[in-house]
Amino acid sequence: MLHFIGFATGQRYDTTKYTDRFGGPANFLCLPNNPELSNRTIPGNSFIYGTEYEENFLHSDSDSEDVPCAFCRSNGSASTAMFPGRKTCYDGWKMEYLGYIMSGYFGYRASSYICVDIDGEYVQGGKPDIDGQALYATGTKCGTLPCPPYNDNLAVYCVFLLYFFVVAITLGHNDDTGDINKRLLLNDPDIAATRLANVEAAIQNLKGEVSKLKVDLKTEQTRNVQHETKISQMTQSLRMIQEYGSSYIRWGRTQCDGANSELVYSGYAAGQIYYDSKYTTRFGGPGNMLCLPNNPELSNRTAPGNSNIYGSEFEESTFGHGSRQEDVPCALCRSRNSTTSVMIPGRKTCFKGWKIEYNGLLASSCNTCKASSYVCVDKNPEYIPGGETNDNQNLLYTTGTICGSLPCPPYHNNLELLCVVCSK
């Protein structure tokens, strides 16, 4: 169901005022085409711009066209997820749309990886080449990201999926029928008359009993219908509760160990390269991380090279014994019987009413590296077999707190920050 259409937006891709500052907001927003406007003027320290395609990748005429968006809600779905590196669904999931992973240019300001529809449209009457936020097709980079199953410099498919519950209730009944056959030999007329009178009396009694039974049967049938309706409603509610679910990524592990959790796929933690010697003063690029599946469906198109994605490795031994330089796995998990999953930083237990999926350490790239995001790495991480080579591509460090605007107490300076993923 379409809730609104609008305009893809983000921060400006570049700045001439601060040529060595490339942070800022990394995520994209879909602004509706029927906004309710504030009457307050901002101080001018944060802006949001429209987005345009910066390559002829989707179509031969897409360069400089403005990008639309739509906010959709799928009735009856229990979970939603974007799967990078795939163009078909896993069992139990339904495809909403197919696309390519895109992001801002790796040498520009912070952005994020998003899934752009493979049949992307344009904003009608869009102003060409305004250079607000810009989108480029993302290609894979071998190294920490294993090849195979991936290939170098290929564009990355993505698919947005929905998980549906199906309620199938079959109500049946059995009919028991039987024939009662009686034989009466009539040889004596008196006996026949007596027996006939008895039969007539018995018939009258039976008619009365049948009439009463019909009333009782109708009452029971009404009760049965009510019971069947209630059973049907309860069965449907139970199925709905059992099939509801929320999804989350378990960084640093290949399995899902939470109560009532199931593995959708395992794969490789991935993001942009932490540093580029070609652009020593540019530290933007896509800030979010993706969990690329270990059974990708590969594109046959070479990416132009303006947006790349690399495998991740631990850059410190604080994650676990021997973790430094080890490549990072991940798992996309689905928590059954829940509608919400959330990562809570600064906690190792869940709040009341929530169930724990896993806990660990908050991690990101370094504060002098390119744009990244905070993720929760499992406290008992696994490593990708054969991935101990120091490729220095996308790097993960434990995150510490700094007092100041962050009040201490309750926080403390320079302590590792715990994290927990909870569902409800």
mmCIF file of all heavy atoms in Angstrom, residues 36 64 70 72 97 102 106 118 171 188 213 229-230 240 258 273 284 291 297 322-323 328 342 347 357 409:
data_model
loop_
_atom_site.group_PDB
_atom_site.id
_atom_site.type_symbol
_atom_site.label_atom_id
_atom_site.label_comp_id
_atom_site.label_asym_id
_atom_site.label_seq_id
_atom_site.Cartn_x
_atom_site.Cartn_y
_atom_site.Cartn_z
ATOM 1 N N GLU A 36 4.307 19.443 5.402
ATOM 2 C CA GLU A 36 3.764 20.451 6.310
ATOM 3 C C GLU A 36 4.955 21.268 6.795
ATOM 4 O O GLU A 36 5.821 20.759 7.510
ATOM 5 C CB GLU A 36 3.026 19.781 7.465
ATOM 6 C CG GLU A 36 1.814 18.990 6.996
ATOM 7 C CD GLU A 36 1.175 18.170 8.094
ATOM 8 O OE1 GLU A 36 1.921 17.573 8.890
ATOM 9 O OE2 GLU A 36 -0.063 18.130 8.147
ATOM 10 N N SER A 64 22.208 12.829 -14.053
ATOM 11 C CA SER A 64 21.716 14.147 -13.640
ATOM 12 C C SER A 64 20.202 14.208 -13.448
ATOM 13 O O SER A 64 19.667 15.276 -13.132
ATOM 14 C CB SER A 64 22.138 15.242 -14.636
ATOM 15 O OG SER A 64 23.548 15.329 -14.692
ATOM 16 N N ALA A 70 9.197 6.376 -2.721
ATOM 17 C CA ALA A 70 7.840 6.061 -2.274
ATOM 18 C C ALA A 70 7.921 5.364 -0.931
ATOM 19 O O ALA A 70 8.784 4.509 -0.714
ATOM 20 C CB ALA A 70 7.127 5.173 -3.294
ATOM 21 N N CYS A 72 6.058 2.825 1.399
ATOM 22 C CA CYS A 72 5.057 1.776 1.193
ATOM 23 C C CYS A 72 4.854 0.978 2.476
ATOM 24 O O CYS A 72 5.764 0.838 3.289
ATOM 25 C CB CYS A 72 5.498 0.818 0.084
ATOM 26 S SG CYS A 72 5.932 1.640 -1.474
ATOM 27 N N TYR A 97 10.648 -5.479 -4.361
ATOM 28 C CA TYR A 97 11.263 -4.939 -5.571
ATOM 29 C C TYR A 97 12.725 -5.359 -5.645
ATOM 30 O O TYR A 97 13.348 -5.700 -4.645
ATOM 31 C CB TYR A 97 11.120 -3.415 -5.660
ATOM 32 C CG TYR A 97 11.977 -2.594 -4.722
ATOM 33 C CD1 TYR A 97 13.269 -2.199 -5.075
ATOM 34 C CD2 TYR A 97 11.483 -2.168 -3.495
ATOM 35 C CE1 TYR A 97 14.042 -1.421 -4.224
ATOM 36 C CE2 TYR A 97 12.244 -1.384 -2.639
ATOM 37 C CZ TYR A 97 13.524 -1.016 -3.007
ATOM 38 O OH TYR A 97 14.289 -0.246 -2.167
ATOM 39 N N MET A 102 23.371 1.316 -4.279
ATOM 40 C CA MET A 102 23.977 2.579 -4.687
ATOM 41 C C MET A 102 24.329 3.390 -3.448
ATOM 42 O O MET A 102 23.810 3.146 -2.351
ATOM 43 C CB MET A 102 23.029 3.381 -5.585
ATOM 44 C CG MET A 102 22.815 2.781 -6.955
ATOM 45 S SD MET A 102 21.887 3.906 -8.036
ATOM 46 C CE MET A 102 22.079 3.080 -9.602
ATOM 47 N N PHE A 106 32.761 7.617 -3.201
ATOM 48 C CA PHE A 106 33.638 7.301 -2.074
ATOM 49 C C PHE A 106 34.585 8.440 -1.725
ATOM 50 O O PHE A 106 35.119 8.500 -0.624
ATOM 51 C CB PHE A 106 34.440 6.022 -2.357
ATOM 52 C CG PHE A 106 35.456 6.139 -3.462
ATOM 53 C CD1 PHE A 106 36.735 6.590 -3.205
ATOM 54 C CD2 PHE A 106 35.132 5.792 -4.771
ATOM 55 C CE1 PHE A 106 37.681 6.687 -4.214
ATOM 56 C CE2 PHE A 106 36.066 5.891 -5.788
ATOM 57 C CZ PHE A 106 37.346 6.345 -5.512
ATOM 58 N N ILE A 118 15.547 -1.325 -9.829
ATOM 59 C CA ILE A 118 16.237 -1.600 -11.087
ATOM 60 C C ILE A 118 15.591 -0.866 -12.261
ATOM 61 O O ILE A 118 16.229 -0.616 -13.283
ATOM 62 C CB ILE A 118 16.280 -3.125 -11.340
ATOM 63 C CG1 ILE A 118 17.379 -3.484 -12.337
ATOM 64 C CG2 ILE A 118 14.926 -3.654 -11.776
ATOM 65 C CD1 ILE A 118 17.674 -4.968 -12.405
ATOM 66 N N LEU A 171 -11.771 -26.856 8.539
ATOM 67 C CA LEU A 171 -12.754 -27.347 9.497
ATOM 68 C C LEU A 171 -13.550 -28.454 8.828
ATOM 69 O O LEU A 171 -14.136 -28.250 7.764
ATOM 70 C CB LEU A 171 -13.685 -26.219 9.946
ATOM 71 C CG LEU A 171 -13.006 -25.048 10.663
ATOM 72 C CD1 LEU A 171 -14.024 -23.964 10.962
ATOM 73 C CD2 LEU A 171 -12.359 -25.529 11.946
ATOM 74 N N ASP A 188 -50.503 -64.332 12.924
ATOM 75 C CA ASP A 188 -51.753 -64.321 13.690
ATOM 76 C C ASP A 188 -52.362 -62.936 13.618
ATOM 77 O O ASP A 188 -51.712 -61.952 13.979
ATOM 78 C CB ASP A 188 -51.457 -64.703 15.141
ATOM 79 C CG ASP A 188 -52.741 -64.912 15.941
ATOM 80 O OD1 ASP A 188 -53.688 -64.125 15.730
ATOM 81 O OD2 ASP A 188 -52.757 -65.824 16.764
ATOM 82 N N LEU A 213 -35.295 -34.304 20.069
ATOM 83 C CA LEU A 213 -33.920 -34.426 19.587
ATOM 84 C C LEU A 213 -33.593 -33.372 18.533
ATOM 85 O O LEU A 213 -32.469 -32.866 18.464
ATOM 86 C CB LEU A 213 -33.679 -35.827 19.021
ATOM 87 C CG LEU A 213 -33.589 -36.955 20.060
ATOM 88 C CD1 LEU A 213 -33.528 -38.307 19.360
ATOM 89 C CD2 LEU A 213 -32.367 -36.761 20.954
ATOM 90 N N THR A 229 -16.345 -21.200 15.317
ATOM 91 C CA THR A 229 -15.950 -19.811 15.042
ATOM 92 C C THR A 229 -14.879 -19.359 16.028
ATOM 93 O O THR A 229 -13.878 -18.743 15.644
ATOM 94 C CB THR A 229 -17.172 -18.885 15.132
ATOM 95 O OG1 THR A 229 -18.153 -19.303 14.183
ATOM 96 C CG2 THR A 229 -16.773 -17.439 14.850
ATOM 97 N N LYS A 230 -15.091 -19.697 17.301
ATOM 98 C CA LYS A 230 -14.117 -19.308 18.320
ATOM 99 C C LYS A 230 -12.790 -20.027 18.112
ATOM 100 O O LYS A 230 -11.713 -19.433 18.223
ATOM 101 C CB LYS A 230 -14.669 -19.616 19.710
ATOM 102 C CG LYS A 230 -13.834 -19.023 20.835
ATOM 103 C CD LYS A 230 -14.550 -19.143 22.166
ATOM 104 C CE LYS A 230 -13.742 -18.461 23.268
ATOM 105 N NZ LYS A 230 -14.439 -18.536 24.577
ATOM 106 N N MET A 240 -0.972 -16.190 13.674
ATOM 107 C CA MET A 240 -0.443 -14.845 13.473
ATOM 108 C C MET A 240 0.665 -14.553 14.468
ATOM 109 O O MET A 240 1.720 -14.020 14.113
ATOM 110 C CB MET A 240 -1.562 -13.814 13.598
ATOM 111 C CG MET A 240 -2.573 -13.846 12.466
ATOM 112 S SD MET A 240 -3.978 -12.750 12.747
ATOM 113 C CE MET A 240 -3.162 -11.156 12.748
ATOM 114 N N GLY A 258 19.423 -16.709 19.527
ATOM 115 C CA GLY A 258 18.375 -16.172 20.379
ATOM 116 C C GLY A 258 17.179 -17.107 20.453
ATOM 117 O O GLY A 258 16.939 -17.924 19.555
ATOM 118 N N ILE A 273 35.972 1.355 2.216
ATOM 119 C CA ILE A 273 37.352 1.293 2.673
ATOM 120 C C ILE A 273 37.612 2.418 3.677
ATOM 121 O O ILE A 273 37.053 3.511 3.568
ATOM 122 C CB ILE A 273 38.329 1.367 1.479
ATOM 123 C CG1 ILE A 273 39.729 0.920 1.897
ATOM 124 C CG2 ILE A 273 38.326 2.753 0.854
ATOM 125 C CD1 ILE A 273 40.652 0.662 0.716
ATOM 126 N N GLY A 284 34.358 11.088 3.450
ATOM 127 C CA GLY A 284 32.926 10.808 3.406
ATOM 128 C C GLY A 284 32.659 9.409 2.900
ATOM 129 O O GLY A 284 33.227 8.437 3.371
ATOM 130 N N CYS A 291 25.448 -6.613 5.449
ATOM 131 C CA CYS A 291 25.781 -8.028 5.615
ATOM 132 C C CYS A 291 25.547 -8.701 4.269
ATOM 133 O O CYS A 291 24.405 -8.977 3.888
ATOM 134 C CB CYS A 291 24.909 -8.660 6.701
ATOM 135 S SG CYS A 291 25.300 -10.399 7.033
ATOM 136 N N GLU A 297 23.948 -13.661 -5.698
ATOM 137 C CA GLU A 297 23.558 -13.748 -7.101
ATOM 138 C C GLU A 297 24.235 -12.576 -7.797
ATOM 139 O O GLU A 297 23.900 -11.420 -7.558
ATOM 140 C CB GLU A 297 22.036 -13.693 -7.225
ATOM 141 C CG GLU A 297 21.377 -14.896 -6.578
ATOM 142 C CD GLU A 297 19.875 -14.773 -6.466
ATOM 143 O OE1 GLU A 297 19.391 -13.675 -6.145
ATOM 144 O OE2 GLU A 297 19.193 -15.772 -6.693
ATOM 145 N N GLY A 322 42.952 -13.254 19.680
ATOM 146 C CA GLY A 322 43.417 -13.416 18.306
ATOM 147 C C GLY A 322 42.538 -12.764 17.264
ATOM 148 O O GLY A 322 42.607 -13.109 16.083
ATOM 149 N N SER A 323 41.714 -11.796 17.673
ATOM 150 C CA SER A 323 40.755 -11.219 16.724
ATOM 151 C C SER A 323 41.387 -10.224 15.748
ATOM 152 O O SER A 323 40.840 -9.999 14.665
ATOM 153 C CB SER A 323 39.620 -10.526 17.482
ATOM 154 O OG SER A 323 40.115 -9.464 18.288
ATOM 155 N N VAL A 328 35.435 -10.457 9.365
ATOM 156 C CA VAL A 328 34.235 -10.454 10.213
ATOM 157 C C VAL A 328 33.052 -11.103 9.487
ATOM 158 O O VAL A 328 32.651 -10.636 8.414
ATOM 159 C CB VAL A 328 33.863 -9.011 10.611
ATOM 160 C CG1 VAL A 328 32.683 -9.015 11.588
ATOM 161 C CG2 VAL A 328 35.069 -8.295 11.221
ATOM 162 N N VAL A 342 15.645 -4.160 18.273
ATOM 163 C CA VAL A 342 16.355 -2.905 18.460
ATOM 164 C C VAL A 342 17.718 -3.183 19.080
ATOM 165 O O VAL A 342 17.870 -4.099 19.895
ATOM 166 C CB VAL A 342 15.535 -1.939 19.350
ATOM 167 C CG1 VAL A 342 15.338 -2.508 20.745
ATOM 168 C CG2 VAL A 342 16.176 -0.564 19.423
ATOM 169 N N ARG A 347 24.120 -0.997 27.134
ATOM 170 C CA ARG A 347 23.466 -2.008 27.963
ATOM 171 C C ARG A 347 23.973 -3.390 27.561
ATOM 172 O O ARG A 347 24.390 -3.609 26.423
ATOM 173 C CB ARG A 347 21.943 -1.978 27.767
ATOM 174 C CG ARG A 347 21.272 -0.673 28.129
ATOM 175 C CD ARG A 347 20.923 -0.587 29.585
ATOM 176 N NE ARG A 347 20.035 -1.673 30.015
ATOM 177 C CZ ARG A 347 19.541 -1.766 31.247
ATOM 178 N NH1 ARG A 347 19.856 -0.872 32.158
ATOM 179 N NH2 ARG A 347 18.747 -2.766 31.577
ATOM 180 N N GLU A 357 18.521 -11.105 22.243
ATOM 181 C CA GLU A 357 18.954 -11.888 21.085
ATOM 182 C C GLU A 357 20.455 -12.157 21.166
ATOM 183 O O GLU A 357 20.897 -13.274 20.975
ATOM 184 C CB GLU A 357 18.614 -11.154 19.785
ATOM 185 C CG GLU A 357 17.122 -10.915 19.570
ATOM 186 C CD GLU A 357 16.332 -12.197 19.369
ATOM 187 O OE1 GLU A 357 16.944 -13.235 19.036
ATOM 188 O OE2 GLU A 357 15.103 -12.168 19.557
ATOM 189 N N PRO A 409 28.919 10.905 35.862
ATOM 190 C CA PRO A 409 28.113 9.723 35.573
ATOM 191 C C PRO A 409 26.777 10.102 34.909
ATOM 192 O O PRO A 409 26.478 11.284 34.846
ATOM 193 C CB PRO A 409 27.914 9.116 36.965
ATOM 194 C CG PRO A 409 28.000 10.285 37.906
ATOM 195 C CD PRO A 409 28.968 11.242 37.280
#
